[in-house]
Amino acid sequence: MQQTEFTAVSGTNAATSNGAVQPLISLRNVSKRFPGVLALDNCQLDLLPGEVHALMGENGAGKSTLMKILSGVYQKDAGEILMDGKPVEIPDPRSAQRLGIAIIHQELNLMNHLSAAQNMFIGREPRRGFGLLLDEQAINRRTAAIFERLRLDLDPRTPVGQLTVARQQMVEIARALSFDSRVLIMDEPTAALNNAEIDDLFRIIRDLQALGVGIVYISHKMDELRQISNRVTVMRDGKYIATVPTAETPMDTIISMMVGRQLEGASGEVPDTSANDVVLEVKGLSRGSAIKDVSFKLRKGEILGFAGLMGAGRTEVARAVFGADPIDAGEIHVHGGRAMIKSPADAVAHGIGYLSEDRKHFGLATSLDVKTNVAMSSLGSFAKNGIFLDQAAIRRTAEGYVRQLGIKTPSIDQPARLLSGGNQQKIVIAKWLLRDCDILFFDEPTRGIDIGAKSEIYKLLNALAEQGKAIVMISSELPEVLRMSHRVLVMCEGRITGELSAAEATQEKIMQLATQRESVVTQ
């Protein structure tokens, strides 16, 4: 019978021969390579019994890859994993589960139509009647016992779909502990919680610490780490940087370790656009918990960088301004007049273009050829007598943009899916230039393209700004934001937390604002 009550870890205070506490888990020189990418390069991590160990790094630092190896989702290419000082192999998630290692993902993995208890024991339900019938009473009883240990006031029979996100997360934690887990990995556990719910989560975490459970806590929120973690391990670009005690290490030091890459300098002097005409003004934009009272101005010829960590709300703002998502409150003004934008068609009619971070799904019809993709948003202008398309005009126009933007393609009849990521991005840009949009949102404009193509995109953005186009550039790469932006707005949890000029913007200042949860700078 599967054990269903978690207990204090045996040997919580056990020491090694030199007096040091024996780690629950040790990862040593772990490396992982994907095609063309070294995702982890000789990384390490020690987790002690009863410890909350924060794992920090920018997006793409390798945190999730390392934890997926520990939880059996990925297999390491090199290195070793020790549990209680002994080497172990974790070929799959079930093996991790048997070792007492559980992971709670940011995206919860529950079935809304089932009760909390049914979710807890799905696939391992106690049975009665010679194993033919599920024993619902036993499921509810065992779940209630675990909830009681967690001091969680929740009826096991409640359908998960009726619970708040915070309560669903508690069910996930309880389920993990029903396997008698000794190691718990929590990935951005407070992303969707309010302050009261965070306090409740922290209480449970401290109770687990008292039982000797080791917790790896992935978060970008500096204030949380001060409250809950004992040590911090920092990763950068797939490498281990350092492990430091939280209480004794200034957050500025941790931020510097996270963003320690050498920056490429900006190309030339940043132009002063402060006196240019305002072409777009957003006032008090709100949408649920994703966008909270966002206001900003965008000027002609300006590249306005939007920085922030994953989930900060940058893409949500762009989609709301573009009319792709409805808003609860706020106003959008274009060239001084209020614009009623209820759909992308309305935005385009006001001269606003949006280049999605997912160009293959939202920017291109990859099965169609280059010329059709270029003309797609302006087909009406190519119509003869309102009925037939002027194919010769489409070809001339597409060939013109291929030359202008340096799109590398055998011909304009080539399917877009066969082009490189950088050339696909240029096709999307051509599409919006053809519409003569003077306000352009670029969402992660260089994601998934090589360094040479990045340089070409940078030159193109600068050229567009010089022509008077107004550009909002959303990017998760801080060097890119610093290199390209005339001004930088920083977001955290749906709010704008600061504005920096090009002269004063640094990676450290951006990271401080990107983790600033309470203070909001009113634009």
Side-chain angles (χ1 to χ4, degrees):
M1 178 68 68
Q2 173 69 47
Q3 186 172 357
T4 59
E5 293 188 357
F6 53 94
T7 55
V9 176
S10 59
T12 295
N13 298 311
T16 60
S17 58
N18 63 5
V21 175
Q22 174 74 61
L24 277 176
I25 286 285
S26 296
L27 292 95
R28 294 278 180 266
N29 302 318
V30 172
S31 296
K32 178 66 177 178
R33 182 179 292 277
F34 297 104
V37 178
L38 183 59
L40 296 176
D41 185 7
N42 288 309
C43 292
Q44 63 187 64
L45 179 75
D46 280 332
L47 177 65
L48 303 177
E51 175 185 36
V52 176
H53 194 129
L55 185 57
M56 298 195 68
E58 292 185 272
N59 299 338
K63 309 182 298 294
S64 294
T65 301
L66 189 64
M67 290 302 97
K68 284 179 179 178
I69 286 174
L70 181 56
S71 59
V73 177
Y74 294 155
Q75 281 67 57
K76 57 185 170 53
D77 294 331
E80 63 177 347
I81 303 173
L82 307 177
M83 192 161 194
D84 298 323
K86 300 175 182 177
V88 294
E89 292 296 328
I90 310 177
D92 51 51
R94 189 173 293 274
S95 299
Q97 200 175 75
R98 283 195 292 265
L99 288 168
I101 301 169
I103 183 168
I104 298 171
H105 298 280
Q106 187 173 350
E107 298 295 328
L108 300 179
N109 187 27
L110 296 170
M111 297 186 182
N112 289 340
H113 65 288
L114 298 181
S115 71
Q118 289 166 338
N119 271 279
M120 288 272 292
F121 290 96
I122 191 166
R124 55 195 177 102
E125 301 89 345
R127 293 178 176 270
R128 58 186 175 83
F130 302 102
L132 299 176
L133 303 173
L134 297 182
D135 192 341
E136 293 285 352
Q137 288 186 342
I139 294 173
N140 292 333
R141 186 172 59 251
R142 293 179 185 183
T143 300
I146 297 173
F147 285 173
E148 185 177 351
R149 289 283 189 95
L150 289 173
R151 291 189 283 166
L152 182 59
D153 183 16
L154 178 62
D155 188 338
R157 297 166 297 180
T158 305
V160 161
Q162 296 179 12
L163 301 177
T164 64
V165 172
R167 287 297 181 106
Q168 289 181 11
Q169 193 167 62
M170 301 307 179
V171 172
E172 283 271 35
I173 294 171
R175 181 169 68 177
L177 294 171
S178 73
F179 290 96
D180 208 19
S181 298
R182 303 176 60 196
V183 175
L184 192 58
I185 302 163
M186 307 182 84
D187 189 358
E188 296 287 354
T190 63
L193 307 188
N194 61 35
N195 288 337
E197 292 166 340
I198 290 171
D199 289 342
D200 202 27
L201 175 65
F202 284 1
R203 175 191 60 75
I204 288 177
I205 288 174
R206 292 187 179 103
D207 287 349
L208 297 177
Q209 284 184 273
L211 293 168
V213 176
I215 297 170
V216 180
Y217 191 96
I218 301 175
S219 178
H220 293 298
K221 299 174 182 176
M222 301 294 178
D223 56 337
E224 286 184 9
L225 301 183
R226 279 283 183 223
Q227 293 181 60
I228 202 66
S229 70
N230 305 105
R231 291 189 296 160
V232 178
T233 287
V234 177
M235 297 180 67
R236 186 175 70 240
D237 298 333
K239 293 182 172 65
Y240 168 83
I241 301 301
T243 298
V244 295
T246 308
E248 301 167 21
T249 308
M251 282 298 150
D252 286 349
T253 301
I254 294 174
I255 290 172
S256 295
M257 289 191 290
M258 289 171 60
V259 299
R261 293 189 300 269
Q262 186 66 38
L263 293 185
E264 294 181 39
S267 54
E269 186 176 341
V270 177
D272 181 7
T273 59
S274 59
N276 293 6
D277 292 340
V278 174
V279 295
L280 174 69
E281 183 173 6
V282 173
K283 299 179 179 180
L285 198 69
S286 295
R287 182 172 185 267
S289 61
I291 308 172
K292 304 170 185 174
D293 194 27
V294 166
S295 301
F296 66 90
K297 295 178 181 179
L298 176 66
R299 298 181 182 275
K300 182 177 181 179
E302 178 181 36
I303 299 177
L304 177 61
F306 263 68
L309 298 168
M310 191 177 298
R314 299 164 299 163
T315 293
E316 288 78 2
V317 168
R319 287 179 56 84
V321 173
F322 190 61
D325 295 326
I327 61 174
D328 299 330
E331 297 181 3
I332 299 168
H333 293 252
V334 178
H335 297 296
R338 185 170 181 182
M340 303 305 294
I341 298 176
K342 302 294 185 183
S343 68
D346 294 336
V348 173
H350 283 90
I352 301 173
Y354 173 51
L355 289 82
S356 168
E357 62 180 330
D358 189 349
R359 58 181 171 268
K360 291 186 178 179
H361 285 96
F362 300 115
L364 291 170
T366 55
S367 61
L368 299 182
D369 57 33
V370 171
K371 67 178 186 297
T372 304
N373 273 284
V374 169
M376 189 176 299
S377 64
S378 306
L379 287 176
S381 65
F382 293 104
K384 287 182 177 179
N385 302 320
I387 301 175
F388 302 105
L389 292 177
D390 187 341
Q391 294 294 340
I394 290 175
R395 294 189 72 87
R396 286 194 303 271
T397 301
E399 287 168 350
Y401 279 110
V402 166
R403 287 193 299 271
Q404 178 184 338
L405 302 181
I407 299 172
K408 295 174 183 176
T409 177
S411 78
I412 58 174
D413 299 309
Q414 180 85 338
R417 62 182 169 80
L418 299 179
L419 271 59
S420 69
N423 287 300
Q424 289 178 348
Q425 187 71 302
K426 289 180 181 180
I427 293 173
V428 181
I429 294 171
K431 178 176 72 173
W432 291 117
L433 292 181
L434 178 56
R435 284 296 308 222
D436 198 27
C437 293
D438 51 14
I439 300 167
L440 293 166
F441 282 79
F442 284 79
D443 197 347
E444 303 289 357
T446 65
R447 175 173 289 172
I449 63 179
D450 61 44
I451 293 174
K454 278 188 179 185
S455 180
E456 292 179 9
I457 296 295
Y458 295 155
K459 290 178 184 176
L460 180 56
L461 291 179
N462 282 324
L464 292 173
E466 289 170 6
Q467 294 168 20
K469 304 292 185 185
I471 296 170
V472 172
M473 187 189 74
I474 299 168
S475 177
S476 298
E477 297 186 25
L478 292 185
E480 182 169 272
V481 172
L482 293 170
R483 174 176 177 169
M484 296 301 300
S485 304
H486 303 157
R487 249 187 328 136
V488 179
L489 295 180
V490 186
M491 293 190 68
C492 178
E493 296 186 344
R495 292 184 171 90
I496 292 178
T497 51
E499 176 182 327
L500 301 168
S501 68
E504 63 188 353
T506 64
Q507 292 203 44
E508 286 77 12
K509 287 181 180 178
I510 290 174
M511 285 298 294
Q512 286 168 349
L513 291 168
T515 55
Q516 184 176 313
R517 303 179 59 201
E518 299 298 330
S519 177
V520 179
V521 178
T522 303
Q523 303 300 306

